[in-house]
Amino acid sequence: MSAYASTVLNASAEEVWDYLRDFGNLAEWLPGITLCEIEEGDGHRPGAVRRIEGPGGTFRERLLTLDDGSRSATYEILESPLPLRDYRGLYRVSPVTDSGRAFVEWSAAFEADDEAKITKIVTRGIFEPGLAALHTRFPS
């Protein structure tokens, strides 16, 4: 199953990527996250593990790739209060060439017993509010 959300921000792709490439800053912009700390490694290098505390409990995630050329990163969930398995997430920032703004995509593929329910939770409960919150960080 997969989840997906996207938005356009009023900032350059480079400016948005410079902010989002920090794997340890999730608590600064994702609503409901009270703590995000790097437990292992460097938040700017693959292999880093972050612990996230939110309303649903504790998540632990590992950064798999960080590609400045394509302004994208992939990560996996190691521990989650959600009933899902084999979660692989991707976020990417691309330039909107006719306006100089940034197109931001956030997606994930995973398995779950109730895939429709978990897809809704991930999309509407995490991705969409997270991308909406970035509009505050990068206002019009």
Side-chain angles (χ1 to χ4, degrees):
M1 202 69 202
S2 62
Y4 178 85
S6 64
T7 195
V8 176
L9 298 173
N10 288 317
S12 71
E14 292 76 19
E15 182 181 1
V16 174
W17 175 245
D18 187 55
Y19 183 69
L20 291 181
R21 71 184 304 279
D22 181 353
F23 196 60
N25 73 358
L26 200 62
E28 292 179 17
W29 61 272
L30 186 61
I33 301 302
T34 57
L35 174 78
C36 177
E37 66 181 9
I38 300 296
E39 290 185 326
E40 297 175 26
D42 174 343
H44 294 97
R45 298 192 190 287
V49 174
R50 66 184 175 191
R51 183 170 62 91
I52 303 161
E53 297 290 338
T58 300
F59 290 78
R60 291 182 68 245
E61 299 175 339
R62 176 182 292 123
L63 182 62
L64 299 173
T65 66
L66 185 70
D67 186 337
D68 289 326
S70 67
R71 289 181 297 276
S72 67
T74 60
Y75 64 99
E76 66 181 341
I77 291 181
L78 303 173
E79 176 186 326
S80 169
L82 296 174
L84 52 75
R85 301 173 301 282
D86 299 323
Y87 178 104
R88 298 287 183 274
L90 164 72
Y91 53 97
R92 177 187 353 251
V93 181
S94 302
V96 178
T97 59
D98 69 349
S99 68
R101 299 189 307 165
F103 178 67
V104 182
E105 299 176 277
W106 197 356
S107 63
F110 53 86
E111 294 182 21
D113 292 338
D114 188 343
E115 291 181 343
K117 178 181 178 182
I118 298 303
T119 297
K120 184 176 180 179
I121 289 170
V122 172
T123 302
R124 296 191 182 153
I126 301 170
F127 290 0
E128 289 176 0
L131 293 177
L134 287 173
H135 285 276
T136 302
R137 182 97 186 151
F138 301 99
S140 305

